[in-house]
Amino acid sequence: MAKPTQVKEPEIKDKDSKTGGGSSILINIITTTIVCIIFIGVNYFLQSNLLTTQLQNVTADQSETSEEQLDKPEKGIVLDLGDFTMNLSDIDPRRYLKANVAIEITNPEPSAQIEEDKKSGGHGGHGETAPDPKAAIVAEMEQYKPAIRDAVITVLTSKTSDELSTTAGKELAKQQIAESVNGIFDGEREVIRVSFGQFIMQ
């Protein structure tokens, strides 16, 4: 009689050994990913804070500088050129202008004025007060006054009433007067601004 064949049971492989290796790789990948995400997040947070702080500092510096510039406009010495009555270049009908003109010129730096005083022998004497530098400049400008008045008349008489009736036309006339007067000063002084007081066209 034949022996019954023994059925071999299939070998059950140890699942734990395979899954153990796979799960450790998965854990490593997840851990590395989490560490990278944390690193990127911290890096972004630090850089954005640093950038924000630097931008705030730059903005604060710019605003302080602009406020200082706005608070301290350049101040010079005002020279009143008096009243002008002149014909404009309109032909029909003839028009004339009555205006009061003043110019503001640069004031030399105090250090430059001190050097000038030293060269001229100073102003020291017992009980003597220092001369007013503004008064000295105004007195100095008196010699230029006829030439300056002539420059103003030349510019304004070349204009028509239509040109001077607009704000842009007046500003252009002021700019042209400043350029003409700066040519007279030849770099010794500079016109900061030209002002019209009374300004009547008829």
Side-chain angles (χ1 to χ4, degrees):
M1 195 173 177
K3 281 186 178 181
T5 55
Q6 207 172 9
V7 178
K8 280 189 175 182
E9 290 183 16
E11 291 180 14
I12 300 170
K13 292 186 179 177
D14 188 8
K15 288 183 181 178
D16 290 340
S17 65
K18 278 196 170 183
T19 56
S23 64
S24 67
I25 291 173
L26 187 63
I27 288 170
N28 283 342
I29 290 172
I30 291 171
T31 307
T32 306
T33 306
I34 290 171
V35 168
C36 287
I37 289 170
I38 291 170
F39 177 75
I40 291 168
V42 169
N43 192 22
Y44 173 77
F45 178 75
L46 290 175
Q47 285 195 358
S48 64
N49 277 353
L50 182 65
L51 187 62
T52 305
T53 307
Q54 287 178 345
L55 284 173
Q56 285 173 348
N57 290 342
V58 168
T59 309
D61 290 346
Q62 286 177 344
S63 63
E64 284 175 12
T65 306
S66 61
E67 281 175 11
E68 285 174 6
Q69 288 173 347
L70 289 172
D71 291 344
K72 296 180 181 178
E74 189 178 0
K75 289 186 178 179
I77 296 167
V78 177
L79 183 64
D80 187 0
L81 300 175
D83 293 329
F84 293 82
T85 304
M86 65 199 87
N87 291 322
L88 296 174
S89 63
D90 297 88
I91 296 171
D92 190 21
R94 295 294 292 174
R95 304 288 298 272
Y96 75 91
L97 169 69
K98 184 175 183 183
N100 179 274
V101 182
I103 60 170
E104 191 172 351
I105 56 175
T106 50
N107 189 6
E109 294 296 323
S111 58
Q113 189 65 38
I114 290 167
E115 289 298 322
E116 212 171 289
D117 288 343
K118 283 181 182 175
K119 286 178 185 175
S120 64
H123 52 72
H126 294 293
E128 269 187 44
T129 58
D132 182 13
K134 289 185 180 181
I137 293 170
V138 170
E140 178 193 334
M141 289 300 106
E142 285 299 316
Q143 65 179 327
Y144 291 108
K145 211 168 184 178
I148 295 170
R149 282 184 62 89
D150 182 60
V152 171
I153 291 168
T154 302
V155 170
L156 292 178
T157 54
S158 69
K159 305 290 181 186
T160 64
S161 57
D162 288 338
E163 289 172 327
L164 293 175
S165 62
T166 64
T167 305
K170 287 186 184 78
E171 290 304 316
L172 178 61
K174 288 178 184 180
Q175 183 183 345
Q176 290 171 339
I177 290 169
E179 288 170 1
S180 296
V181 175
N182 282 335
I184 295 167
F185 290 151
D186 197 26
E188 290 180 19
R189 297 273 183 269
E190 190 177 348
V191 177
I192 300 170
R193 64 187 58 86
V194 177
S195 303
F196 293 144
Q198 183 186 35
F199 199 88
I200 301 168
M201 287 186 291
Q202 290 184 348

